[in-house]
Amino acid sequence: MANRANRPPATAGRSPLGRRSFLRISGSGLLAAGLTGSLTACGGGGGGSSSKNLVWWDYLVEDARQPGIKALIAAIEKNVPGLKITRRTFPYAELEPAIIKGAASGDLPDLAIIDNTSMNSLAPQGLLTDLTDRVKEWGQADAYYKGPWSSGVVDGKTYSVPNNANCLALYYNTELLESAGVKPPKTWDELSAAARKLTKGSTFGLAMSAVKTEEGVFQLLPFLWSAGADLDTFATGGATALSYLGELVKAGALSKQCVGWTQQDVNNQFTSGRAAMQINGPWQLPGLKQQSKVKWGVVPIPVDKEPASCLGGENWVILKTSGKADQAWRAIEYSQRKKPLAAYLGSVGLLPARSDMADSGDWATDPTLKVFVREFGNARPRSYGEHYPQMSKAMAEALQATLTGSSSPGAAAKKAADAMTPLLSK
């Protein structure tokens, strides 16, 4: 985002978190052409009429991920007796609208992998199966990081199980920092000073996405939370976060062009040497490791009052209309066993939401991945209820207004707070 605003690692050159464009559920405009998606049959045909056939939807369409996903499906079919899976894929922005449309038409899957922000709308609309009793009997909830797990809990009931997780951190150009005598920053003050000192010629000290979508909000929220604030105190805490970022733009340390940058654009600035530091996620690692122009490192996002990062990733859900919830649950349960889960995550470039897997897989030996895994302890989900898309829009507008200079941080934060407060109480 992502959720996938925020996103999992993807093939180089692709913008996974661009898929976090927030979804408008009211109106038919989102239900655009192409909702049929592409159909990938894995051990089944195109429907769910057979008692052995389980229909699965997701938006994990990157070519590099397909062998890993097909291997997981094959493993589930082999180890869950009598089960066959039909998989259907959608572009990111079309999956949630397709589920909502399918609720009316009766065309819904048995299970799906969705952005964890979609829990804000799908669960309150009554589209998901309550998994609370199954999870209690399973006894594995405590094996997950708090943030990823809580993204699937709505009004005290569990409606999903994390498929994977990701978050944000600060990348830095090691050579530029060393030549400027700057250490990787740990606090807001240090980040501000470093960004100013590293700004030279055509190189900005810091790059981040402030685009007017959930992708930009995904990067704003860690600053809001680090200031000790939340959506219900956005008028004051939001003003603090917006003011901090606005001052970086005024100082020339953060490009004004960031209001149009996706997170992939930000990474392009970094790898081209036009940004000494960037805020981004682990999905950029494959591309960064393939290039040799920039030497880099990763540290947690610098802190104001408390450490914070924004949680992204996907969750498993079972649709309430499915007549095969037991079979779907067995598929999910198998996918979360450590051996098949480690194989799946490693093959598709994702990170585990299970804290008890921190010492296994690529993330146990890769020092960069370790930074992101450790940050899960500080990463928060965007679990604000079914009106979150409207609240995200208000925050995106406040960020844009501040960084373009069309409004003061205080006025922009107040306007956003006035729009969000009634929605938070619903």
Side-chain angles (χ1 to χ4, degrees):
M1 352 336 255
N3 119 202
R4 13 234 216 265
N6 63 149
R7 208 108 198 130
T11 53
R14 189 174 180 91
S15 177
L17 264 177
R19 298 180 296 186
R20 278 203 180 92
S21 302
F22 37 85
L23 305 173
R24 305 299 183 86
I25 298 170
S26 60
S28 59
L30 276 180
L31 301 176
L35 284 181
T36 52
S38 59
L39 184 64
T40 304
C42 302
S49 58
S50 169
S51 61
K52 294 182 179 180
N53 191 58
L54 205 63
V55 178
W56 149 345
W57 288 4
D58 68 65
Y59 53 62
L60 304 177
V61 298
E62 294 89 348
D63 290 343
R65 289 179 171 170
Q66 302 319 301
I69 296 173
K70 289 179 180 178
L72 175 62
I73 289 173
I76 292 173
E77 290 180 335
K78 180 180 179 181
N79 290 279
V80 180
L83 191 64
K84 295 296 180 181
I85 292 172
T86 297
R87 176 179 172 231
R88 184 176 176 181
T89 62
F90 297 77
Y92 170 74
E94 294 178 5
L95 178 59
E96 184 175 334
I99 291 174
I100 295 169
K101 182 180 180 181
S105 68
D107 179 21
L108 284 174
D110 297 294
L111 75 167
I113 301 173
I114 65 172
D115 190 302
N116 58 32
T117 60
S118 292
M119 298 303 299
N120 287 304
S121 58
L122 298 184
Q125 291 187 65
L127 298 178
L128 307 180
T129 297
D130 182 354
L131 303 178
T132 305
D133 291 340
R134 286 183 170 88
V135 165
K136 184 176 181 180
E137 182 179 355
W138 183 40
Q140 297 290 306
D142 290 341
Y144 291 77
Y145 293 104
K146 181 179 179 181
W149 186 266
S150 63
S151 71
V153 179
V154 179
D155 295 331
K157 296 181 179 180
T158 302
Y159 290 93
S160 70
V161 172
N163 175 277
N164 65 84
N166 63 62
C167 60
L168 293 168
L170 181 76
Y171 290 85
Y172 61 94
N173 183 313
T174 58
E175 292 180 334
L176 290 181
L177 265 69
E178 288 173 3
S179 63
V182 173
K183 293 182 179 180
K186 296 180 180 180
T187 68
W188 278 18
D189 288 344
E190 291 177 1
L191 176 61
S192 179
R196 285 167 166 80
K197 190 171 184 179
L198 291 163
T199 299
K200 185 177 181 181
S202 61
T203 298
F204 290 92
L206 177 66
M208 63 176 284
S209 172
V211 68
K212 196 178 178 181
T213 68
E214 177 63 18
E215 199 163 347
V217 174
F218 186 69
Q219 296 214 338
L220 169 63
L221 284 170
F223 289 93
L224 173 70
W225 293 329
S226 187
D230 208 337
L231 269 59
D232 59 353
T233 53
F234 198 85
T236 54
T240 299
L242 292 171
S243 178
Y244 178 80
L245 297 174
E247 288 300 319
L248 289 175
V249 170
K250 287 181 181 179
L254 173 62
S255 172
K256 293 180 181 179
Q257 300 302 314
C258 69
V259 296
W261 287 344
T262 65
Q263 289 177 114
Q264 186 59 48
D265 294 330
V266 169
N267 191 60
N268 292 342
Q269 295 291 317
F270 184 72
T271 56
S272 67
R274 293 193 296 271
M277 299 180 290
Q278 67 160 335
I279 294 175
N280 229 313
W283 53 87
Q284 303 293 358
L285 290 172
L288 284 168
K289 290 178 178 179
Q290 289 174 9
Q291 62 84 45
S292 58
K293 181 178 179 180
V294 173
K295 295 181 180 179
W296 49 274
V298 180
V299 292
I301 295 176
V303 176
D304 181 28
K305 293 182 179 179
E306 54 189 88
S309 185
C310 198
L311 180 73
E314 283 79 33
N315 291 357
W316 283 107
V317 296
I318 300 174
L319 278 296
K320 197 169 185 178
T321 53
S322 173
K324 306 168 189 173
D326 288 340
Q327 295 97 314
W329 173 255
R330 286 197 290 272
I332 293 173
E333 186 277 328
Y334 177 79
S335 79
Q336 295 303 293
R337 296 179 187 179
K338 291 182 180 180
K339 186 174 180 179
L341 182 56
Y344 162 70
L345 294 173
S347 67
V348 296
L350 298 174
L351 294 176
R354 293 186 65 124
S355 59
D356 62 352
M357 290 182 64
D359 295 328
S360 61
D362 295 341
W363 47 86
T365 55
D366 186 315
T368 303
L369 289 174
K370 283 183 178 181
V371 173
F372 287 100
V373 172
R374 286 196 296 267
E375 274 298 275
F376 286 154
N378 299 318
R380 306 187 194 184
R382 291 154 287 166
S383 301
Y384 293 105
E386 61 183 305
H387 300 290
Y388 177 71
Q390 297 98 300
M391 292 184 272
S392 176
K393 179 176 182 291
M395 289 186 284
E397 290 174 346
L399 181 59
Q400 290 261 313
T402 298
L403 300 190
T404 59
S406 65
S407 176
S408 69
K414 184 179 185 305
K415 182 179 179 180
D418 288 345
M420 292 190 291
T421 299
L423 300 174
L424 285 166
S425 61
K426 289 184 179 181

